[in-house]
Amino acid sequence: MGTLASAGLFLLPAAMVATPFNVLPFTLVLLVTSIWGFSRLWRARTCTGVIGCLLLALTVAGLASALLSSWYFADVFRDEGYRTRFLAMPWVLLWVCAFRPRLEALWWGVLFGLFATLAIAGYQVAHGWPRAQAWTNSIVLADITVVFMVLLVFCRPPERWGWIVLGMAAGGGVVLLSGSRGVWPALLALLVAMALSIRRGSGRLRLASLAGLVLVAATLVLAIPQLRERTRLSELHSDVQRIEAGDVDSSAGARLERLQVAWDTFLEHPWVGMGIGNFDAAMQRLPDCRQAEAMEARCHLGHAHNDVAEWGATQGVPGLLLLLCIYGLPLWIFIHLHRRSGESGFRGPAAAGVMVVVAYILCGMTQSMFAHQITVSTYATLVGMLAGLSLVTAAGGSRPRAAQG
């Protein structure tokens, strides 16, 4: 059973964005093993302890808020149905504690997924796609790629730095081909955390080396027109000029416009918002979007492209407090687990969990991370999975030895 569970860990990152099946292969393994080994799953509840109760409470709160919003606004259970993915947090936590899959399987799945995704992204761009999308959209592709790079670095087995460098290069290639700019803060945070977690050389030397690497990369991007075009820096410059001229019909302009709409909507409906999945209804306050036949693309993006704006405008103050818990509670759990792990450096599943949450927070500045089933599924599953692997590690369960450096 443990071997099958390890195969599930491999399939999660290997198939998430590199195949059209996304989370389905892992879900099938999760279902089969949970049914087959239900007695082990039931006995493992004592292993999860307070953390299991906290994640279960967070799941119930997320589902309850979605149901209440749907009931209040008499809406069909549409986008809010993505909240059902939160069920993966306590379930996968229990599953990992019961079957104790190997952490190396997750790491190898990440490596495979990054290489496979780079091949798909390269094929798409080579065949005329303006931006690589794989089996999702360009922004989600870049966000998930950075999350997988986090797992590659902090779940590393011993003596695998050669593969890590290649995997990071593959992930960087995918981000470049996706043309996503909003993922850069999360990528920078990952590089800083990686530099500080390596135990070779002094901290100042590592940060100086990282700063030099970033400076060289920035110089190349600015100096080479093809890289400037691929990273959409020229487009960003054009967007800023259009915003200054009062034209918001651009990528950056539409985001600023939606932030203003979200703020105005929050002030108008501070306690209930417009209802989950109804951000486009808030856009009706704009003259260009007010007519029923309005065809402006920026009127129909489906969400606010910002976590705080999305949750505040659609659910008001309760939504913002829930979002704080969705990010804050797992972050606290992973910090607590890392302190208990006995790791001498910042690495292991708990450290990876901290950085996954940080990456989601930073990516959530330019994307509504819980308005897409892939990003919701990845977050919920990884929170439960990494918490479970951390508990198993602390209990002396099967795991690879920590990397030296």
Side-chain angles (χ1 to χ4, degrees), residues 260-279:
Q260 184 60 56
V261 168
W263 175 246
D264 293 340
T265 303
F266 176 75
L267 293 179
E268 188 175 323
H269 306 283
W271 297 109
V272 295
M274 296 293 292
I276 298 177
N278 287 331
F279 189 81

PDB file of all heavy atoms in Angstrom, residues 260-279:
ATOM      1  N   GLN A 260      -9.780  49.053  -8.168  1.00  0.00           N
ATOM      2  CA  GLN A 260     -10.648  50.174  -7.810  1.00  0.00           C
ATOM      3  C   GLN A 260     -12.103  49.719  -7.693  1.00  0.00           C
ATOM      4  O   GLN A 260     -12.812  50.112  -6.760  1.00  0.00           O
ATOM      5  CB  GLN A 260     -10.530  51.286  -8.857  1.00  0.00           C
ATOM      6  CG  GLN A 260     -11.333  52.543  -8.523  1.00  0.00           C
ATOM      7  CD  GLN A 260     -10.894  53.176  -7.218  1.00  0.00           C
ATOM      8  OE1 GLN A 260      -9.723  53.490  -7.049  1.00  0.00           O
ATOM      9  NE2 GLN A 260     -11.825  53.365  -6.281  1.00  0.00           N
ATOM     10  N   VAL A 261     -12.541  48.887  -8.628  1.00  0.00           N
ATOM     11  CA  VAL A 261     -13.906  48.357  -8.573  1.00  0.00           C
ATOM     12  C   VAL A 261     -14.097  47.523  -7.312  1.00  0.00           C
ATOM     13  O   VAL A 261     -15.133  47.622  -6.630  1.00  0.00           O
ATOM     14  CB  VAL A 261     -14.211  47.516  -9.826  1.00  0.00           C
ATOM     15  CG1 VAL A 261     -15.503  46.715  -9.649  1.00  0.00           C
ATOM     16  CG2 VAL A 261     -14.316  48.406 -11.055  1.00  0.00           C
ATOM     17  N   ALA A 262     -13.094  46.706  -6.971  1.00  0.00           N
ATOM     18  CA  ALA A 262     -13.192  45.874  -5.766  1.00  0.00           C
ATOM     19  C   ALA A 262     -13.304  46.738  -4.514  1.00  0.00           C
ATOM     20  O   ALA A 262     -14.100  46.443  -3.614  1.00  0.00           O
ATOM     21  CB  ALA A 262     -11.971  44.960  -5.675  1.00  0.00           C
ATOM     22  N   TRP A 263     -12.519  47.805  -4.446  1.00  0.00           N
ATOM     23  CA  TRP A 263     -12.562  48.698  -3.284  1.00  0.00           C
ATOM     24  C   TRP A 263     -13.918  49.381  -3.164  1.00  0.00           C
ATOM     25  O   TRP A 263     -14.504  49.428  -2.072  1.00  0.00           O
ATOM     26  CB  TRP A 263     -11.444  49.712  -3.379  1.00  0.00           C
ATOM     27  CG  TRP A 263     -11.449  50.763  -2.314  1.00  0.00           C
ATOM     28  CD1 TRP A 263     -11.660  52.093  -2.455  1.00  0.00           C
ATOM     29  CD2 TRP A 263     -11.245  50.549  -0.906  1.00  0.00           C
ATOM     30  NE1 TRP A 263     -11.595  52.738  -1.241  1.00  0.00           N
ATOM     31  CE2 TRP A 263     -11.341  51.820  -0.266  1.00  0.00           C
ATOM     32  CE3 TRP A 263     -10.982  49.429  -0.125  1.00  0.00           C
ATOM     33  CZ2 TRP A 263     -11.192  51.978   1.108  1.00  0.00           C
ATOM     34  CZ3 TRP A 263     -10.827  49.594   1.253  1.00  0.00           C
ATOM     35  CH2 TRP A 263     -10.940  50.845   1.850  1.00  0.00           C
ATOM     36  N   ASP A 264     -14.434  49.887  -4.279  1.00  0.00           N
ATOM     37  CA  ASP A 264     -15.744  50.547  -4.257  1.00  0.00           C
ATOM     38  C   ASP A 264     -16.849  49.558  -3.868  1.00  0.00           C
ATOM     39  O   ASP A 264     -17.762  49.899  -3.117  1.00  0.00           O
ATOM     40  CB  ASP A 264     -16.057  51.152  -5.630  1.00  0.00           C
ATOM     41  CG  ASP A 264     -15.125  52.314  -5.972  1.00  0.00           C
ATOM     42  OD1 ASP A 264     -14.532  52.882  -5.036  1.00  0.00           O
ATOM     43  OD2 ASP A 264     -14.992  52.632  -7.179  1.00  0.00           O
ATOM     44  N   THR A 265     -16.747  48.334  -4.369  1.00  0.00           N
ATOM     45  CA  THR A 265     -17.745  47.310  -4.039  1.00  0.00           C
ATOM     46  C   THR A 265     -17.667  46.929  -2.571  1.00  0.00           C
ATOM     47  O   THR A 265     -18.699  46.738  -1.907  1.00  0.00           O
ATOM     48  CB  THR A 265     -17.521  46.061  -4.915  1.00  0.00           C
ATOM     49  OG1 THR A 265     -17.578  46.432  -6.288  1.00  0.00           O
ATOM     50  CG2 THR A 265     -18.585  45.007  -4.641  1.00  0.00           C
ATOM     51  N   PHE A 266     -16.462  46.824  -2.049  1.00  0.00           N
ATOM     52  CA  PHE A 266     -16.290  46.495  -0.631  1.00  0.00           C
ATOM     53  C   PHE A 266     -16.899  47.576   0.259  1.00  0.00           C
ATOM     54  O   PHE A 266     -17.570  47.269   1.259  1.00  0.00           O
ATOM     55  CB  PHE A 266     -14.804  46.324  -0.320  1.00  0.00           C
ATOM     56  CG  PHE A 266     -14.509  46.082   1.130  1.00  0.00           C
ATOM     57  CD1 PHE A 266     -14.762  44.856   1.720  1.00  0.00           C
ATOM     58  CD2 PHE A 266     -13.991  47.103   1.925  1.00  0.00           C
ATOM     59  CE1 PHE A 266     -14.502  44.647   3.069  1.00  0.00           C
ATOM     60  CE2 PHE A 266     -13.729  46.901   3.264  1.00  0.00           C
ATOM     61  CZ  PHE A 266     -13.985  45.661   3.844  1.00  0.00           C
ATOM     62  N   LEU A 267     -16.682  48.831  -0.092  1.00  0.00           N
ATOM     63  CA  LEU A 267     -17.257  49.923   0.696  1.00  0.00           C
ATOM     64  C   LEU A 267     -18.783  49.910   0.629  1.00  0.00           C
ATOM     65  O   LEU A 267     -19.455  50.247   1.611  1.00  0.00           O
ATOM     66  CB  LEU A 267     -16.729  51.268   0.184  1.00  0.00           C
ATOM     67  CG  LEU A 267     -15.230  51.540   0.403  1.00  0.00           C
ATOM     68  CD1 LEU A 267     -14.858  52.897  -0.174  1.00  0.00           C
ATOM     69  CD2 LEU A 267     -14.868  51.462   1.885  1.00  0.00           C
ATOM     70  N   GLU A 268     -19.323  49.489  -0.512  1.00  0.00           N
ATOM     71  CA  GLU A 268     -20.772  49.470  -0.682  1.00  0.00           C
ATOM     72  C   GLU A 268     -21.409  48.264  -0.009  1.00  0.00           C
ATOM     73  O   GLU A 268     -22.527  48.344   0.510  1.00  0.00           O
ATOM     74  CB  GLU A 268     -21.091  49.456  -2.178  1.00  0.00           C
ATOM     75  CG  GLU A 268     -22.565  49.639  -2.493  1.00  0.00           C
ATOM     76  CD  GLU A 268     -22.804  49.744  -3.982  1.00  0.00           C
ATOM     77  OE1 GLU A 268     -21.973  50.354  -4.679  1.00  0.00           O
ATOM     78  OE2 GLU A 268     -23.826  49.195  -4.455  1.00  0.00           O
ATOM     79  N   HIS A 269     -20.713  47.111  -0.013  1.00  0.00           N
ATOM     80  CA  HIS A 269     -21.248  45.872   0.583  1.00  0.00           C
ATOM     81  C   HIS A 269     -20.182  45.250   1.493  1.00  0.00           C
ATOM     82  O   HIS A 269     -19.617  44.204   1.185  1.00  0.00           O
ATOM     83  CB  HIS A 269     -21.634  44.871  -0.505  1.00  0.00           C
ATOM     84  CG  HIS A 269     -22.564  45.411  -1.545  1.00  0.00           C
ATOM     85  ND1 HIS A 269     -23.915  45.577  -1.324  1.00  0.00           N
ATOM     86  CD2 HIS A 269     -22.324  45.832  -2.807  1.00  0.00           C
ATOM     87  CE1 HIS A 269     -24.477  46.059  -2.417  1.00  0.00           C
ATOM     88  NE2 HIS A 269     -23.541  46.240  -3.327  1.00  0.00           N
ATOM     89  N   PRO A 270     -19.895  45.882   2.638  1.00  0.00           N
ATOM     90  CA  PRO A 270     -18.754  45.429   3.444  1.00  0.00           C
ATOM     91  C   PRO A 270     -18.958  44.093   4.150  1.00  0.00           C
ATOM     92  O   PRO A 270     -17.975  43.475   4.559  1.00  0.00           O
ATOM     93  CB  PRO A 270     -18.582  46.564   4.465  1.00  0.00           C
ATOM     94  CG  PRO A 270     -19.942  47.180   4.583  1.00  0.00           C
ATOM     95  CD  PRO A 270     -20.547  47.076   3.218  1.00  0.00           C
ATOM     96  N   TRP A 271     -20.201  43.630   4.312  1.00  0.00           N
ATOM     97  CA  TRP A 271     -20.423  42.428   5.110  1.00  0.00           C
ATOM     98  C   TRP A 271     -20.775  41.194   4.287  1.00  0.00           C
ATOM     99  O   TRP A 271     -20.557  40.070   4.753  1.00  0.00           O
ATOM    100  CB  TRP A 271     -21.508  42.675   6.154  1.00  0.00           C
ATOM    101  CG  TRP A 271     -21.108  43.733   7.121  1.00  0.00           C
ATOM    102  CD1 TRP A 271     -21.597  44.996   7.234  1.00  0.00           C
ATOM    103  CD2 TRP A 271     -20.059  43.630   8.100  1.00  0.00           C
ATOM    104  NE1 TRP A 271     -20.928  45.701   8.207  1.00  0.00           N
ATOM    105  CE2 TRP A 271     -19.981  44.874   8.770  1.00  0.00           C
ATOM    106  CE3 TRP A 271     -19.178  42.616   8.463  1.00  0.00           C
ATOM    107  CZ2 TRP A 271     -19.064  45.127   9.778  1.00  0.00           C
ATOM    108  CZ3 TRP A 271     -18.257  42.864   9.475  1.00  0.00           C
ATOM    109  CH2 TRP A 271     -18.214  44.102  10.124  1.00  0.00           C
ATOM    110  N   VAL A 272     -21.306  41.356   3.091  1.00  0.00           N
ATOM    111  CA  VAL A 272     -21.669  40.184   2.293  1.00  0.00           C
ATOM    112  C   VAL A 272     -21.046  40.207   0.905  1.00  0.00           C
ATOM    113  O   VAL A 272     -21.007  39.185   0.221  1.00  0.00           O
ATOM    114  CB  VAL A 272     -23.201  40.053   2.162  1.00  0.00           C
ATOM    115  CG1 VAL A 272     -23.830  39.785   3.517  1.00  0.00           C
ATOM    116  CG2 VAL A 272     -23.814  41.298   1.520  1.00  0.00           C
ATOM    117  N   GLY A 273     -20.556  41.355   0.455  1.00  0.00           N
ATOM    118  CA  GLY A 273     -19.979  41.459  -0.875  1.00  0.00           C
ATOM    119  C   GLY A 273     -21.011  41.228  -1.961  1.00  0.00           C
ATOM    120  O   GLY A 273     -22.213  41.422  -1.759  1.00  0.00           O
ATOM    121  N   MET A 274     -20.527  40.784  -3.115  1.00  0.00           N
ATOM    122  CA  MET A 274     -21.398  40.536  -4.266  1.00  0.00           C
ATOM    123  C   MET A 274     -21.712  39.053  -4.438  1.00  0.00           C
ATOM    124  O   MET A 274     -22.449  38.679  -5.341  1.00  0.00           O
ATOM    125  CB  MET A 274     -20.730  41.048  -5.552  1.00  0.00           C
ATOM    126  CG  MET A 274     -20.511  42.545  -5.592  1.00  0.00           C
ATOM    127  SD  MET A 274     -22.052  43.471  -5.657  1.00  0.00           S
ATOM    128  CE  MET A 274     -22.647  43.024  -7.280  1.00  0.00           C
ATOM    129  N   GLY A 275     -21.154  38.217  -3.588  1.00  0.00           N
ATOM    130  CA  GLY A 275     -21.361  36.772  -3.718  1.00  0.00           C
ATOM    131  C   GLY A 275     -20.194  36.112  -4.431  1.00  0.00           C
ATOM    132  O   GLY A 275     -19.623  36.673  -5.372  1.00  0.00           O
ATOM    133  N   ILE A 276     -19.827  34.912  -3.983  1.00  0.00           N
ATOM    134  CA  ILE A 276     -18.691  34.191  -4.558  1.00  0.00           C
ATOM    135  C   ILE A 276     -18.917  33.961  -6.048  1.00  0.00           C
ATOM    136  O   ILE A 276     -19.994  33.545  -6.472  1.00  0.00           O
ATOM    137  CB  ILE A 276     -18.489  32.844  -3.842  1.00  0.00           C
ATOM    138  CG1 ILE A 276     -18.178  33.083  -2.366  1.00  0.00           C
ATOM    139  CG2 ILE A 276     -17.357  32.057  -4.482  1.00  0.00           C
ATOM    140  CD1 ILE A 276     -18.027  31.820  -1.578  1.00  0.00           C
ATOM    141  N   GLY A 277     -17.888  34.229  -6.834  1.00  0.00           N
ATOM    142  CA  GLY A 277     -17.979  34.022  -8.272  1.00  0.00           C
ATOM    143  C   GLY A 277     -18.712  35.107  -9.023  1.00  0.00           C
ATOM    144  O   GLY A 277     -18.932  34.980 -10.230  1.00  0.00           O
ATOM    145  N   ASN A 278     -19.078  36.182  -8.340  1.00  0.00           N
ATOM    146  CA  ASN A 278     -19.873  37.241  -8.971  1.00  0.00           C
ATOM    147  C   ASN A 278     -19.103  38.543  -9.166  1.00  0.00           C
ATOM    148  O   ASN A 278     -19.708  39.610  -9.205  1.00  0.00           O
ATOM    149  CB  ASN A 278     -21.130  37.525  -8.127  1.00  0.00           C
ATOM    150  CG  ASN A 278     -22.164  36.429  -8.249  1.00  0.00           C
ATOM    151  OD1 ASN A 278     -22.245  35.761  -9.275  1.00  0.00           O
ATOM    152  ND2 ASN A 278     -22.951  36.237  -7.204  1.00  0.00           N
ATOM    153  N   PHE A 279     -17.788  38.457  -9.287  1.00  0.00           N
ATOM    154  CA  PHE A 279     -17.042  39.715  -9.416  1.00  0.00           C
ATOM    155  C   PHE A 279     -17.413  40.458 -10.691  1.00  0.00           C
ATOM    156  O   PHE A 279     -17.390  41.697 -10.722  1.00  0.00           O
ATOM    157  CB  PHE A 279     -15.539  39.468  -9.377  1.00  0.00           C
ATOM    158  CG  PHE A 279     -14.742  40.739  -9.292  1.00  0.00           C
ATOM    159  CD1 PHE A 279     -14.565  41.378  -8.074  1.00  0.00           C
ATOM    160  CD2 PHE A 279     -14.214  41.335 -10.428  1.00  0.00           C
ATOM    161  CE1 PHE A 279     -13.862  42.572  -7.989  1.00  0.00           C
ATOM    162  CE2 PHE A 279     -13.505  42.518 -10.357  1.00  0.00           C
ATOM    163  CZ  PHE A 279     -13.332  43.141  -9.130  1.00  0.00           C
TER     164      PHE A 279
END
